[in-house]
Amino acid sequence: MFQTTLVWFRYDLRAFDHTALQEAVRLGLPVVGMYVFEPEEAPVSEGRRRRRVFVHQCLSELQSRLAEKGVPLFVAIGSAEREVPAFANDVDAAYVVCAGAGEPDSVHQENVVAAHLVGDGRQFKVVNDDAVLSKFVSADSEGKLYTDFDAYRKAWLAASDGMVWQPSDDWAALTGLQTGLSEHLRFAPELPSLKQLGVEDGASVFEGGERAADKLLAGLMRRMGDYHLGRGLSAQSDNFRLSPYLRFGVISVRYLIGLIKRMGGEDEEVLLNALMRREFYHRLVYRYPNVLLQGFNPKYRNIAWENNPQYLVAWQEGRTGYPLLDAAMRCLNQTGYLPDNLRSYAAAFLSQVLLCDWRLGEAYFAGQLLDFDLAVNNGCWQDAVGVGACAQKPLSMMHPVFAAQKLDPVGQTIRRYVPELAHVPKDVIHTPWLGKASINTNGYPDPVAEYSSQRKKTLVLYDGVAD
């Protein structure tokens, strides 16, 4: 049997502009692909179910696309620490190549796999696929660590300034290599079924795969001129739903940056900032894994949150009596997705209005989000609440009604996800309790907490732990 190069797919579920795949081509051996579904502990959360369905769809298309290039994609169920070295042995892999990750568990996984492979006499290569700055770039030229987003932004812009995206896919060379692939490896078995993955329901509001990502991306490029107008409006910003495809590497970040730069205009900075912040949170977790357990800002690590269980449940179920918050949470629960501005709104509401620990909300989002990303979820929650590296001062805490009026001026999102208020006029839809005497609100609850009194308590909590 000929030796091979094994490409271990992780959060890079595409064939186009794929760093690990092209690295495998350069190594000059026939290429075999592998993906490992880690076993889930019962019960499987709704977010995990959504992610399994989405990844399964991505892999189904990816397997077909790779097969067209002569590359078989094998899919296993088990622990990657065991499955990858074992399969590398089965296919006599001289090299195993994968895209690196920055989360503690993923880094540990890489280290364990590497140790097994090296012990078996194989070479393990980790490539940077999803970032402009590698995870190992954690400090500037003077050794100052990137803990400030503005400093990281400058470094990111400098690194990407001369970057001109060009396709790196050498399909001709790959086709030539695959002629040497052993006969029994030429065709991979069908994917495990969703039932084998512990998923009974395959419904999803997002379609997985590169075709769906390309369609969404094409729509974004057509509307680039209107992006800055819609990004503050929750109903409109819902059109720019790239995050699941970025999270699972269905879209090449390099390609996306190239498109944005070519389009230019005032939207360029907005979109690039979103990508920078995503990378910044990943670098922060890689360098400071303790942020997964506590606030980055030491001033706010000992806040004595009230954690009223009734408030927490009302927030989770979308029945707080604040219409946009309830619409946001119902949207999250029903679809597994929420625009970034509504994520920040919901986070600030939980901690700064309901006085619940942000980590409770972070965990709830983790259990619901299709595009759940440990580092991004953590960073966004900390910053929205005021305890993170990029946080606003607590004194800048949002007013839930005023903020809602800016995010959803005519109540479009509210009418969609809080149907009991669909008939309420726009001048009352954000404060339905004020119109109950003359308008039927169909049993919609009054606010669980009064903002002005909660704000005073919140400021006391923050001031009590600050220097």
Side-chain angles (χ1 to χ4, degrees):
M1 182 174 72
F2 291 100
Q3 283 196 303
T4 67
T5 294
L6 175 62
V7 176
W8 173 22
F9 288 83
R10 302 169 83 192
Y11 291 102
D12 48 355
L13 304 183
R14 66 183 188 280
F16 173 68
D17 194 37
H18 191 282
T19 308
L21 183 59
Q22 293 308 311
E23 175 65 18
V25 172
R26 285 187 286 273
L27 292 171
L29 295 173
V31 179
V32 177
M34 181 186 196
Y35 182 85
V36 181
F37 276 106
E38 298 281 342
E40 297 280 8
E41 294 184 6
V44 177
S45 72
E46 183 61 16
R48 288 183 179 274
R49 183 199 68 80
R50 289 168 175 143
R51 295 191 284 274
R52 293 232 147 178
V53 171
F54 185 81
V55 169
H56 192 272
Q57 292 174 347
C58 292
L59 289 172
S60 179
E61 183 179 326
L62 179 60
Q63 190 178 59
S64 296
R65 290 197 174 205
L66 290 176
E68 293 172 359
K69 311 295 184 184
V71 178
L73 176 63
F74 293 81
V75 178
I77 302 174
S79 166
E81 289 93 328
R82 292 192 300 270
E83 297 295 333
V84 173
F87 190 66
N89 182 67
D90 292 342
V91 301
D92 194 15
Y95 305 94
V96 175
V97 186
C98 75
E103 298 168 1
D105 287 349
S106 296
V107 173
H108 174 72
Q109 185 182 70
E110 287 175 21
N111 292 337
V112 173
V113 169
H116 284 302
L117 293 172
V118 172
D120 292 339
R122 311 183 197 284
Q123 294 191 45
F124 183 53
K125 292 179 172 287
V126 178
V127 298
N128 176 42
D129 183 74
D130 68 342
V132 170
L133 293 177
S134 165
K135 69 182 181 182
F136 301 111
V137 180
S138 58
D140 62 20
S141 58
E142 298 177 353
K144 184 178 180 181
L145 295 174
Y146 290 126
T147 59
D148 175 75
F149 177 67
D150 288 337
Y152 187 84
R153 181 178 181 276
K154 291 178 183 177
W156 194 97
L157 289 172
S160 65
D161 185 47
M163 187 176 74
V164 178
W165 179 84
Q166 292 181 337
S168 61
D169 303 322
D170 192 345
W171 300 126
L174 178 62
T175 300
L177 292 177
Q178 296 310 96
T179 60
L181 192 63
S182 297
E183 188 66 32
H184 75 286
L185 293 177
R186 291 184 182 275
F187 302 100
E190 291 185 358
L191 302 184
S193 67
L194 287 174
K195 188 172 183 179
Q196 288 176 291
L197 298 174
V199 176
E200 298 294 337
D201 179 11
S204 175
V205 297
F206 283 82
E207 180 184 357
E210 290 183 75
R211 281 188 293 268
D214 289 343
K215 183 178 179 180
L216 188 63
L217 190 54
L220 171 60
M221 292 301 108
R222 287 194 300 270
R223 295 188 298 271
M224 272 281 284
D226 297 327
Y227 183 79
H228 68 285
L229 299 176
R231 66 190 175 93
L233 308 178
S234 58
Q236 292 184 34
S237 61
D238 196 47
N239 293 323
F240 307 99
R241 305 186 297 172
L242 294 177
S243 55
Y245 302 96
L246 286 170
R247 171 54 179 151
F248 293 101
V250 187
I251 293 175
S252 161
V253 172
R254 293 174 298 280
Y255 175 58
L256 178 57
I257 292 171
L259 282 179
I260 293 170
K261 287 189 172 186
R262 284 207 302 273
M263 294 296 293
E266 57 189 307
D267 298 325
E268 178 180 337
E269 181 178 358
V270 173
L271 290 167
L272 291 181
N273 268 337
L275 295 176
M276 291 179 220
R277 196 169 293 274
R278 174 176 169 270
E279 288 190 21
F280 176 73
Y281 289 142
H282 276 270
R283 300 297 84 78
L284 208 61
V285 165
Y286 179 73
R287 185 65 181 81
Y288 301 100
N290 282 343
V291 299
L292 297 173
L293 303 175
Q294 61 188 8
F296 181 83
N297 191 332
K299 291 182 180 180
Y300 303 114
R301 288 178 182 166
N302 297 312
I303 295 176
W305 304 103
E306 290 186 355
N307 293 333
N308 184 317
Q310 294 179 336
Y311 287 177
L312 178 62
V313 171
W315 177 85
Q316 292 172 335
E317 296 179 353
R319 51 179 184 82
T320 65
Y322 287 88
L324 187 59
L325 182 283
D326 293 343
M329 296 306 295
R330 295 183 194 186
C331 174
L332 173 66
N333 293 337
Q334 292 172 28
T335 70
Y337 175 78
L338 204 56
D340 288 347
N341 47 24
L342 288 186
R343 297 187 195 200
S344 296
Y345 178 81
F349 190 101
L350 179 66
S351 292
Q352 296 184 345
V353 178
L354 300 183
L355 309 184
C356 292
D357 192 326
W358 59 271
R359 286 163 288 202
L360 299 175
E362 180 194 22
Y364 187 76
F365 270 36
Q368 292 293 331
L369 286 170
L370 164 64
D371 60 359
F372 171 65
D373 180 311
L374 182 66
V376 175
N377 191 47
N378 176 267
C380 288
W381 266 90
Q382 291 206 31
D383 288 343
V385 171
V387 301
C390 309
Q392 298 291 321
K393 294 180 180 179
L395 288 173
S396 302
M397 59 188 289
M398 62 95 181
H399 188 294
V401 175
F402 296 160
Q405 290 169 337
K406 291 181 179 180
L407 289 168
D408 195 22
V410 298
Q412 184 176 347
T413 302
I414 295 171
R415 297 178 204 285
R416 181 176 180 182
Y417 291 102
V418 188
E420 56 264 48
L421 299 180
H423 64 291
V424 176
K426 68 177 183 179
D427 58 340
V428 188
I429 198 164
H430 293 288
T431 55
W433 59 90
L434 298 180
K436 290 185 70 172
S438 57
I439 300 173
N440 179 11
T441 57
N442 297 310
Y444 184 73
D446 288 335
V448 295
E450 196 274 320
Y451 171 72
S452 60
S453 61
Q454 292 295 102
R455 172 181 167 81
K456 294 176 183 177
K457 293 164 67 175
T458 299
L459 293 176
V460 170
L461 285 181
Y462 279 83
D463 290 342
V465 298
D467 289 341

